């Protein structure tokens, strides 16, 4: 092996492993359950995991700086309830949606401010944020609120057919995640903000000495995660046409697992959203496999994701050690 | 006198006082464009404080800084960078996960409509490196390259982004091998030719003579002088760093060496071929009861490493150690304490005192640790012990409940000594016990050491001050380049020791 390919493999090993495992799981599933070979099953992954993909993308940026955001699932729940109630009170959807996004950004920025200015652990701040958001959701409404808005209904129920693939479709809200995904690839690799995120995750002190805007970037990252959570909440409320404080239970942990399975290191500085996309797809594939099987408890999903996440953390540290020793 | 002609940087009368210690006193420093200026001095000489003043980390209490003829006040590290003063540290302050090009240009990267122009960025970075004859793939992560390359990338960043006119290299070669070092020197010479002024901080004498044009020596916070490297023989440089002129040192009494040991046969400690890969070459050492053995050597020569090895902070990977005739099988500070060995570490601020605890608590620390935390020493007993040592060592304080952080350097040192004396050790390793304390306190501590030896304790005395090593030790071991260079008995003089330190026998 030439030095070049060796380095390529070392630098991209975790990502390649993630992609390989996704393909493997999908192909094995196709062999076991012929119904899984239908293209629609693949597109269902995006329909069913739209919100997870969106928050996982936001989470990726937070984890890249070396932080964590435990508030994402609660913000989803809060967004669904708040938008359902606002719509019920006759506010037009085109006011409700931007309002929710604004709330997400503000919420994240406040958390980021606590983390940066008061030097509180991200874990603690976002956990408190999580309690706050989930609590607020129940204060707004203790019960599930149905959304009857015609615009939401049309978004939820109009299929968009995939060109060149017969009979395959997605709903409009399933496209939000992939679009965000493309935008964040640009954000991560082609803007100073993105590169600063990586620099902070590697060594915050160095980033500061290099004259990079560390504080601004850290706060922005949490604001962005808040934005993603609110966006995921909007997608969720469209998909289920309702809002409820109980929605998205512990989804923050699924998001973290997806990010880690995608090859992003919890210590920061290493990883990218491409891996996260495949992390989410693996998560979704395991769920599909169990659904096709039909006899296994759905809790096997959790066990499967847990085991895979552990395996990935092992693989990552192996690669990391190797990469260090190549020098 | 300070030469002021064509200097790019003039520091005059710089003083900096920290609570309890004068770090810099009336220091002058002049830097010319296009020179490599070595800054030399032992630990505590004031090198790092001078650099911190120059880079805005510390603000001087007195004195002025002139940059290219203009009076400036360096407010912060960022401000100093904007003034064209850049520092490259031993640990590289860059991001290893980013590409070389990003590390050079991030913050100043070429963009089009907010989008990073990677192709141009890589080209610019490659060009900047080429100017210093470094030809590497700038798209690869910095972490893929050796420390030497990383350091050069840091230098290139300093030159590109901050358009540095003054480059401070703080111990840049400590973790480089010979090849990498010579590569760094090539880069330094190239920069010198382009008119950049370089301050080179190091403790490797060879390297100073290899690249530097002038040398400024500091000692105990004072300026000893600035010299042309060519006209300053190595032996004289060492004498200046250690603080005495050769002639002065000639007259130091070696009275102690004549001192008869009452119990000369019994060995308190015996090390055979003791070594640790990378920090200390294997060496032999024997320590008799009641003997003071001096360890002389420059910073980085391996003196503190030997102390750490004897005390068990580091575990030796070669040789054997016997304490009181019994071989040591398990190493570790706790084990050593139980065997009656104590170490007073070199950096009392970091490794010695706990400045937010009181004198009593500091003194009791080691004793309590040896007893085990379960058997709590009653408070009355603690006061009794603390008060006895305050009296015995003459620690100047209103009460034993005073916080140690409020004491002067000399008194802090005595508190640490008291801590170890409280456990009544048989072997005491003192690493620079008199550094940074005033002359009177120094003499007291030296006297104390001799009294302890008279009681039958064995003492390893490490000091950069040749004078006190000569005065109080029976034997002197000279360390150089992480090995034992020589061992001398009573018939040794300063001349011989300095020559041994300098590397010519």
């Amino acid at each position: 092996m030439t030095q070049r390919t060796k380095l390529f493999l070392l630098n991209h090993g975790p990502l390649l492993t993630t992609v390989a495992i996704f393909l493997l799981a999908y192909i094995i599933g196709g062999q076991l359950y012929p119904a899984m070979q239908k293209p629609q099953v693949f597109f269902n992954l995006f329909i069913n995991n739209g919100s997870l993909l969106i928050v996982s993308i936001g989470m990726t940026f937070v984890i890249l700086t070396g932080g964590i955001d435990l508030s994402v699932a609660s913000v989803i729940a809060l967004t669904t309830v708040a938008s359902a109630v606002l719509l019920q009170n006759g506010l037009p959807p085109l006011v409700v949606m931007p309002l929710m996004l604004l709330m997400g950004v503000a919420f994240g920025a406040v958390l980021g401010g606590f983390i940066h200015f008061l030097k509180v652990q991200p874990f603690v701040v976002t956990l408190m944020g999580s309690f706050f958001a989930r609590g607020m959701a129940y204060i707004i409404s203790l019960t599930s609120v149905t959304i009857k808005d015609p615009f939401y209904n049309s978004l939820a129920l109009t299929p968009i057919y995939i060109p060149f693939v017969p009979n395959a479709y997605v709903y409009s809200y399933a496209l939000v995640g992939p679009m965000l995904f493309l935008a964040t690839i640009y954000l991560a690799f082609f803007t100073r903000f993105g590169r600063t995120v990586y620099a902070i995750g590697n060594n915050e002190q160095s980033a500061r000495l290099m004259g990079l805007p560390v504080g601004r970037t850290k706060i922005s990252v949490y604001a962005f995660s808040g934005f993603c959570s609110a966006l995921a909440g909007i997608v969720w409320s469209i998909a289920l046409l309702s809002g409820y404080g109980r929605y998205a239970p512990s989804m923050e942990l699924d998001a973290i697992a997806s990010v880690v399975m995608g090859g992003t290191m919890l210590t920061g500085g290493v990883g990218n959203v491409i891996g996260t996309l495949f992390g989410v797809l693996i998560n979704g594939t395991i769920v599909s496999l169990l659904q096709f099987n039909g006899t296994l408890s759905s809790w096997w999903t959790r066990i499967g994701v847990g085991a895979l996440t552990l395996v990935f953390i092992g693989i990552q540290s192996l690669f990391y050690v190797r990469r260090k020793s190549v020098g | 006198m300070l030469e002021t002609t064509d200097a790019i940087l003039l520091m005059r009368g710089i003083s900096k006082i920290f609570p309890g210690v004068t770090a810099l006193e009336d220091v002058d420093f002049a830097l010319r464009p296009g020179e490599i200026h070595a800054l030399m001095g032992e630990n505590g000489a004031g090198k790092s404080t001078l650099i911190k003043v120059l880079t805005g980390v510390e603000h001087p209490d007195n004195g002025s800084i002139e940059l290219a003829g203009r009076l400036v006040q360096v407010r912060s590290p960022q401000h100093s960078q904007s003034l064209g003063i850049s520092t490259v540290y031993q640990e590289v302050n860059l991001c290893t996960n980013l590409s070389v090009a990003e590390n050079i240009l991030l913050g100043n990267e070429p963009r089009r409509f907010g989008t990073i122009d990677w192709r141009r960025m890589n080209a610019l970075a490659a060009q900047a490196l080429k100017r210093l004859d470094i030809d590497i793939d700038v798209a690869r992560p910095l972490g893929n390259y050796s420390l030497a390359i990383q350091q050069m990338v840091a230098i290139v960043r300093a030159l590109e982004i901050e358009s540095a006119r003054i480059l401070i290299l703080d111990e840049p070669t400590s973790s480089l091998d010979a090849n990498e070092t010579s590569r760094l020197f090539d880069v330094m010479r190239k920069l010198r030719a382009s008119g950049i002024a370089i301050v080179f901080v190091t403790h490797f004498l060879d390297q100073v003579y290899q690249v530097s044009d002038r040398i400024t020596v500091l000692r105990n916070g004072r300026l000893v002088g600035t010299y042309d490297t060519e006209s300053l023989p190595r032996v004289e440089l060492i004498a200046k760093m250690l603080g005495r002129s050769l002639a002065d040192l000639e007259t130091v009494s070696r009275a102690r060496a004549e001192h008869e040991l009452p119990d000369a046969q019994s060995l308190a400690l015996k090390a055979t071929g003791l070594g640790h890969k990378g920090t200390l070459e294997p060496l032999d050492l024997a320590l008799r009861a009641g003997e003071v053995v001096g360890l002389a050597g420059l910073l980085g020569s391996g003196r503190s490493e030997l102390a750490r090895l004897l005390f068990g902070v580091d575990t030796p990977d070669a040789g054997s150690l016997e304490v009181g005739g019994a071989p040591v099988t398990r190493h570790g500070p706790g084990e050593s304490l139980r065997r009656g060995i104590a170490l007073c570490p070199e950096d009392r601020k970091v490794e010695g005192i706990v400045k937010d605890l009181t004198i009593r608590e500091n003194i009791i620390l080691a004793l309590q640790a040896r007893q085990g935390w379960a058997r709590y020493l009653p408070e009355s007993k603690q006061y009794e012990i603390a008060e006895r040592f305050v009296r015995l060592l003459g620690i100047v304080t209103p009460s034993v409940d005073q916080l140690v952080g409020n004491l002067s350097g000399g008194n802090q040192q005595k508190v640490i000594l008291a801590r170890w004396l409280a456990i009544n050790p048989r072997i005491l390793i003192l690493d620079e016990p008199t550094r940074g304390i005033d002359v009177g306190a120094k003499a007291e501590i030296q006297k104390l050491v001799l009294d302890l030896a008279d009681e039958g304790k064995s003492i390893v005395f490490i000091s950069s001050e040749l004078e006190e090593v000569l005065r109080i030790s029976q034997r002197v071991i000279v360390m150089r380049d992480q090995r034992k260079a020589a061992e001398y008995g009573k018939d040794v003089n300063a001349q011989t020791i300095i020559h041994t330190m300098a590397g010519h026998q």
Side-chain angles (χ1 to χ4, degrees), chain A residues 186 190 192 195 210 269 327, chain B residues 97 102 109 115-116 144 157:
Chain A
Y186 171 79
F190 293 97
R192 183 182 290 178
R195 303 322 292 164
M210 286 166 79
Chain B
N97 63 336
E102 285 179 276
E109 68 279 1
T115 303
I116 296 176
N144 283 348
R157 178 178 176 93

Side-chain angles (χ1 to χ4, degrees), chain B residues 244-259 292 446 450 461 465-476 489-495 497:
Chain B
R244 292 291 159 135
S245 75
L246 277 172
D248 278 352
L249 283 170
E250 291 302 332
T251 62
V252 171
S253 147
R254 287 280 289 144
R256 187 71 191 176
E258 306 293 339
H259 186 81
V292 181
Q446 290 169 11
L450 292 180
F461 189 88
E465 290 192 32
L466 212 42
E467 188 189 351
E468 60 178 10
V469 172
L470 283 168
R471 180 173 296 142
I472 72 169
S473 49
Q474 257 111 15
R475 280 183 296 140
V476 179
K490 59 183 174 193
D491 46 354
V492 67
N493 57 23
Q495 186 85 32
I497 292 180

Side-chain angles (χ1 to χ4, degrees), chain B residues 120-398:
Chain B
R120 245 187 82 211
M121 177 149 91
N122 288 343
L124 284 176
Q127 213 174 29
L129 285 165
K130 203 63 143 272
R131 259 176 255 145
L132 297 179
D133 281 338
I134 305 163
D135 192 10
I136 54 174
D137 181 358
V138 295
R140 270 169 53 176
L142 183 71
N144 283 348
Y145 293 100
S146 69
L147 215 53
I149 295 282
Q150 294 187 19
Q151 230 149 16
M152 289 175 211
V153 170
I155 292 174
V156 170
R157 178 178 176 93
L159 300 174
E160 282 302 307
I161 292 246
E162 295 134 10
S163 50
R165 290 175 291 173
I166 297 173
L167 194 59
I168 302 166
L169 301 175
D170 194 358
E171 304 256 4
T173 56
S174 320
S175 32
L176 304 189
D177 66 26
N179 246 330
E180 294 171 329
T181 303
S182 79
R183 215 164 153 198
L184 178 67
F185 286 173
D186 287 341
V187 168
M188 285 166 66
R189 292 193 187 101
K190 217 160 241 144
L191 293 176
R192 169 172 66 188
S194 73
I196 294 193
I198 299 177
V199 180
F200 180 42
V201 182
T202 183
H203 55 257
F204 295 110
L205 291 188
D206 286 345
Q207 299 181 355
V208 169
Y209 281 93
Q210 237 174 304
V211 289
S212 76
D213 304 305
R214 292 197 299 163
I215 302 173
T216 289
V217 181
L218 297 178
R219 186 171 48 79
N220 288 339
R222 293 208 184 85
L223 177 72
V224 175
T226 298
Y227 314 91
D228 287 327
T229 308
E230 278 175 9
S231 58
L232 183 69
R234 211 173 268 229
V235 172
E236 258 177 61
L237 172 61
I238 294 176
K240 285 184 197 308
M241 285 164 63
L242 300 186
R244 292 291 159 135
S245 75
L246 277 172
D248 278 352
L249 283 170
E250 291 302 332
T251 62
V252 171
S253 147
R254 287 280 289 144
R256 187 71 191 176
E258 306 293 339
H259 186 81
E260 288 290 323
L261 288 176
D263 199 7
Q265 301 313 314
S266 103
L267 276 186
L269 179 144
K270 187 172 169 229
T272 319
L274 197 70
H276 185 269
K277 220 175 150 211
T279 62
L280 193 68
E281 302 284 320
L283 55 75
D284 296 341
L285 173 76
L287 191 58
R288 288 171 293 175
E291 185 180 34
V292 181
V293 170
L295 270 191
L298 295 171
L299 197 69
S301 61
R303 357 170 259 210
S304 301
E305 288 74 6
L306 176 57
R308 291 166 64 89
L309 221 49
L310 291 177
F311 187 57
V313 182
D314 301 325
T315 305
D317 51 19
S320 63
L321 186 64
E322 270 176 43
V323 176
V328 173
T329 48
R330 289 176 57 197
H331 297 268
E335 293 289 319
S336 299
L337 282 181
R338 244 161 281 147
R339 276 185 220 107
I341 307 179
L343 166 70
C344 243
E346 183 178 17
D347 192 338
R348 67 170 168 267
K349 284 204 193 67
V350 179
E351 299 173 330
I353 59 156
V354 187
K355 67 178 196 309
D356 294 327
L357 293 184
T358 65
I359 295 177
R360 169 179 58 88
E361 289 164 325
N362 266 287
I363 290 180
I364 257 23
L365 220 50
L367 189 59
Q368 184 73 71
R370 195 181 56 171
Q371 283 226 332
W373 296 103
R375 284 160 52 207
Y376 185 68
L377 224 54
E379 200 151 283
S380 60
K381 181 95 180 147
Q382 294 189 13
Y383 275 104
E384 190 195 310
I385 295 172
E387 269 155 14
R388 181 157 55 92
F389 280 108
V390 165
R391 224 171 29 244
L392 214 63
L393 305 188
I395 298 173
V396 183
T397 173

